[in-house]
Amino acid sequence: MPFGGDGDRCPRRDEVVAYLASYAARLDAEIRTRTRVVEVRPDGKGFAVALEGGQQLAARAVVAASGTFGRPYRPDLPGLAHFAGSVLHAADYRTSEPFAGQRVIVVGAGDSAVQIAAELATAARVTLASRTPARFARQHILGRGLRFWLARTGIDTAPVDRFLRTPPTQLVIDDSRYRAALDVGIPDCRSSPAATAARVTWPDGTVEAIDAVLLATGYRPDLPYFDGFGALDGQGHPLHRDGASLTHPGLVYVGPEWQRSLSSNSLRGVGRDAVRAARRLAAHLARS
């Protein structure tokens, strides 16, 4: 289903919500919202799906499409477990107001880290801390949005395992505001520190009192219903090839980051992966 509007402008929240609601209304499918799956397990030639509240569903096939933004990643940074100040993830951030006048460290070097740090710096004293410096890509090139060029050049859809081999370094998509903010030191940038109590020690030995640490450190696959199922690796990532489970016939994935391409975990790319997943399931069901 095409997404309307100006293709060179990022859609706003309400536009995305309206698109998803319209998409769902067109589906010939039963849709249950506020329904959490707590467990999936093999059952004969299919699967048994346990829902929160005790209800059970039987299925010949399962599509795991809960994506990669439901489980914030909180790395075990040196001393962070003993830090007495406020520690939160970018998923919990809403506005800069609660941090007014505070000393804050934002950990990360991606879009969320840079954007949140720049916004916080208008109300607090902020440092962007990361292992490597943020790298920027222009949001518009020759009058067209970056995603237009990613699609036109084929980079957006190139299979990772065939052409890219390893995912490219994350870039901050910039309309010139964020690079400019970092260039003048609002916020400033440093290497990641070690934390003790309500203080941090920077790599140069400087010790400083800190009020809050905000982790803009990304997310991991949100697949808790597969615990003990044998479908995931030790880090909780699905064992699959091109979206098809390597451990359970009849199970496919849609939406994981780098499932197949740069855009696999976004609205602009998930449709292509969904078509491939549907074809694989159709072939499996025809054989079973």
Side-chain angles (χ1 to χ4, degrees):
M1 175 177 160
F3 199 117
D6 182 358
D8 287 326
R9 178 181 64 80
C10 291
R12 298 182 182 276
R13 172 196 178 277
D14 289 348
E15 292 176 298
V16 176
V17 171
Y19 171 82
L20 294 175
S22 177
Y23 191 104
R26 294 173 54 173
L27 292 178
D28 181 18
E30 177 190 5
I31 298 177
R32 300 189 188 186
T33 59
R34 303 185 185 277
T35 303
R36 182 174 296 276
V37 173
V38 295
E39 183 184 23
V40 177
R41 63 182 184 276
D43 184 23
K45 292 185 177 181
F47 304 90
V49 180
L51 306 182
E52 195 171 59
Q55 186 178 3
Q56 300 279 328
L57 300 177
R60 294 177 62 196
V62 168
V63 181
S66 45
T68 54
F69 298 104
R71 186 160 69 100
Y73 175 56
R74 294 176 169 84
D76 186 19
L77 299 176
L80 193 62
H82 306 290
F83 180 66
S86 174
V87 179
L88 67 159
H89 192 273
D92 305 312
Y93 176 80
R94 295 297 179 269
T95 71
S96 61
E97 293 176 1
F99 303 92
Q102 295 187 12
R103 180 70 176 97
V104 182
I105 295 175
V106 176
V107 179
D111 278 310
S112 294
V114 171
Q115 292 172 7
I116 290 173
E119 181 173 293
L120 277 173
T122 64
R125 185 179 167 219
V126 181
T127 292
L128 182 66
S130 59
R131 290 175 296 179
T132 58
R135 298 181 60 196
F136 293 89
R138 292 167 56 190
Q139 186 169 357
H140 288 87
I141 301 171
L142 299 177
R144 301 303 302 267
L146 176 62
R147 290 178 177 83
F148 168 85
W149 295 111
L150 291 175
R152 178 60 63 89
T153 59
I155 294 175
D156 212 28
T157 58
V160 175
D161 59 350
R162 192 177 309 165
F163 297 111
L164 300 179
R165 296 190 178 275
T166 58
T169 303
Q170 185 177 28
L171 299 176
V172 177
I173 310 303
D174 187 31
D175 60 3
S176 77
R177 287 181 296 167
Y178 301 112
R179 185 197 294 267
L182 267 60
D183 285 346
V184 298
I186 307 174
D188 69 335
C189 301
R190 307 189 203 180
S191 297
S192 297
T196 57
R199 297 179 179 273
V200 299
T201 302
W202 296 101
D204 64 1
T206 303
V207 179
E208 185 179 9
I210 298 293
D211 297 302
V213 175
L214 192 149
L215 303 172
T217 46
Y219 301 81
R220 294 295 183 267
D222 190 24
L223 301 165
Y225 42 83
F226 285 148
D227 288 347
F229 186 62
L232 311 176
D233 66 15
Q235 287 71 49
H237 294 271
L239 297 168
H240 73 93
R241 179 175 293 114
D242 203 14
S245 172
L246 295 175
T247 59
H248 295 78
L251 168 63
V252 298
Y253 300 91
V254 172
E257 187 175 25
W258 301 111
Q259 172 172 311
R260 189 170 185 272
S261 69
L262 173 67
S263 56
S264 282
N265 71 332
S266 69
L267 283 180
R268 72 182 191 274
V270 70
R272 289 185 293 267
D273 292 350
V275 170
R276 299 174 70 88
R279 288 173 178 167
R280 287 179 178 273
L281 284 186
H284 166 74
L285 294 175
R287 293 192 301 267
S288 60

